[in-house]
Amino acid sequence: GAVVSQHPSWVICKSGTSVKIECRSLDFQATTMFWYRQFPKQSLMLMATSNEGSKATYEQGVEKDKFLINHASLTLSTLTVTSAHPEDSSFYICSATGSATNEKLFFGSGTQLSVL
Amino acid sequence: GENVGLHLPTLSVQEGDNSIINCAYSNSASDYFIWYKQESGKGPQFIIDIRSNMDKRQGQRVTVLLNKTVKHLSLQIAATQPGDSAVYFCAETIGNEKLTFGTGTRLTIIP
């Protein structure tokens, strides 16, 4: 299957700092990328949908100024958690799809964010 | 999508036995369903999918059944192995738009 790489795998930061998470499609062009958040023992909650070259579409209740998403190329999307607080600690997962994947969704390995 | 839920949050199965994981969905308009496997600390891994014009699809050791009448989806894993231990999510979508995930079932394989 297609490969989606997510980096970093885990990050610890101080409250008030910003953290950037990268999501890359390694062997296909990702026209659409999705960002999810997952709390322990819970399901994935969609945060936003990102189409290459356009602004991300955020789900209801997700602050777009706090969770900045950039999808500047067909192989890279970034999620920046700005002014992170302890309640932002979570497992963040990206997924990507494109014509080469037959519109199937492939997921990154996730990023565990811990805000102290 | 609307509510996509699972009947059982946990399931323990003896190694070598078959396991069945169930999922209920409420949006009759959903036309594409996927099962994912998620191991601890990792992203979801695609297992198998099925479209609404089918009621059964088989893969390697896995079978997905779709009953549109009662809005029910199931994942059958044959001859379970220790590596099958994980959380399994069903997900639904309409027209390949954003996925709605179920709550997940934790499958534990007993040696």
Side-chain angles (χ1 to χ4, degrees):
Chain A
V3 179
V4 176
S5 174
Q6 191 171 337
H7 178 81
S9 298
W10 57 271
V11 58
I12 301 172
C13 70
K14 291 182 178 180
S15 185
T17 61
S18 296
V19 175
K20 180 183 284 188
I21 303 169
E22 293 187 349
C23 181
R24 294 180 185 273
S25 56
L26 298 186
D27 51 2
F28 68 98
Q29 292 185 327
T31 50
T32 305
M33 288 186 169
F34 301 87
W35 287 95
Y36 299 83
R37 185 174 183 177
Q38 186 178 31
F39 291 107
K41 299 183 180 181
Q42 293 189 22
S43 188
L44 283 74
M45 297 298 296
L46 180 66
M47 298 175 67
T49 302
S50 168
N51 291 300
E52 185 267 337
S54 59
K55 290 183 178 180
T57 301
Y58 290 80
E59 294 299 301
Q60 190 173 9
V62 178
E63 300 176 57
K64 62 180 181 180
D65 294 331
K66 180 165 186 62
F67 299 99
L68 300 178
I69 293 173
N70 184 285
H71 191 168
S73 78
L74 284 170
T75 58
L76 174 65
S77 176
T78 60
L79 167 67
T80 301
V81 183
T82 62
S83 186
H85 289 98
E87 57 265 32
D88 298 325
S89 298
S90 185
F91 193 55
Y92 293 88
I93 308 171
C94 72
S95 66
T97 185
S99 58
T101 68
N102 197 25
E103 304 308 326
K104 289 183 179 177
L105 214 56
F106 290 88
F107 286 82
S109 55
T111 298
Q112 181 64 51
L113 170 64
S114 296
V115 184
L116 304 179
Chain B
E2 298 171 12
N3 179 51
V4 178
L6 296 176
H7 293 305
L8 297 172
T10 61
L11 177 66
S12 295
V13 175
Q14 202 74 35
E15 181 179 354
D17 287 351
N18 299 333
S19 64
I20 300 176
I21 300 172
N22 296 302
C23 176
Y25 66 95
S26 59
N27 192 339
S28 57
S30 293
D31 58 6
Y32 181 49
F33 304 87
I34 312 103
W35 279 102
Y36 290 96
K37 173 186 180 182
Q38 187 179 27
E39 297 175 318
S40 181
K42 298 183 180 180
Q45 176 187 359
F46 173 92
I47 301 174
I48 193 168
D49 58 357
I50 189 168
R51 297 203 175 272
S52 58
N53 61 352
M54 303 173 68
D55 53 22
K56 181 179 180 179
R57 191 154 187 244
Q58 287 184 297
Q60 187 176 11
R61 284 202 306 120
V62 294
T63 301
V64 55
L65 298 178
L66 174 63
N67 186 330
K68 293 182 289 292
T69 302
V70 294
K71 300 190 193 72
H72 185 267
L73 190 71
S74 68
L75 175 69
Q76 300 177 4
I77 305 174
T80 53
Q81 303 167 358
D84 294 330
S85 293
V87 177
Y88 290 81
F89 292 97
C90 67
E92 63 169 341
T93 184
I94 303 172
N96 279 341
E97 294 184 355
K98 58 186 181 182
L99 291 176
T100 298
F101 283 84
T103 54
T105 292
R106 178 173 294 282
L107 176 65
T108 301
I109 307 303
I110 304 168

